[in-house]
Amino acid sequence: LGDGEQRTYRGVQFEIEGRDDEARRDYEMSLEADPDDLDTLINFGTFLLRTDGPQASLPLLAKATELDPRAGWQLSDVHLALGNVELAILALELALSAGELRAAHALEELRSEQ
């Protein structure tokens, strides 16, 4: 594993342990090393959604989705938090069409609520 990957995985472990400051530091350092690291973009993006809100996480998860459309599954949570159900549905459809099967249930749920 490269240094960035190690920091990302350590950041996830810090999150599990409730050590958010340390997780944030490792995610930031990982993105400095590789701004296009998909795992870091997704993990840091979901971390920011939880800690700082959807506006903070949107750029990271949007970039992750550009790199890999399957990340639309996580991006949909940001759109929902911002109150944009239509964009959440589009993100889930994109993720599902790219092979992210976990998006199917969330997509079905959102469609049934409309």
Side-chain angles (χ1 to χ4, degrees):
L1 294 177
D3 187 49
E5 289 174 309
Q6 288 178 353
R7 289 194 183 283
T8 297
Y9 296 130
R10 192 170 68 181
V12 170
Q13 185 59 43
F14 283 147
E15 266 195 87
I16 291 168
E17 295 171 2
R19 298 162 63 184
D20 285 352
D21 290 341
E22 292 160 291
R24 181 184 303 269
R25 183 192 69 232
D26 274 358
Y27 290 143
E28 288 171 347
M29 292 177 80
S30 180
L31 279 184
E32 283 177 23
D34 183 358
D36 292 331
D37 183 76
L38 186 62
D39 287 336
T40 304
L41 289 166
I42 291 171
N43 284 300
F44 194 22
T46 57
F47 171 87
L48 289 174
L49 179 59
R50 178 178 63 81
T51 61
D52 297 19
Q55 290 293 345
S57 66
L58 181 59
L60 296 179
L61 291 173
K63 184 174 184 177
T65 302
E66 287 175 21
L67 295 171
D68 184 344
R70 293 175 298 173
W73 182 55
Q74 288 91 351
L75 180 60
S76 70
D77 290 336
V78 174
H79 290 309
L80 286 176
L82 292 170
N84 196 329
V85 176
E86 294 81 18
L87 285 179
I89 288 173
L90 287 174
L92 288 168
E93 288 173 342
L94 179 65
L96 187 59
S97 69
E100 179 53 74
L101 299 179
R102 296 176 290 182
H105 178 72
L107 182 58
E108 184 180 312
E109 238 177 61
L110 282 180
R111 285 180 174 158
S112 72
E113 292 172 7
Q114 286 196 318

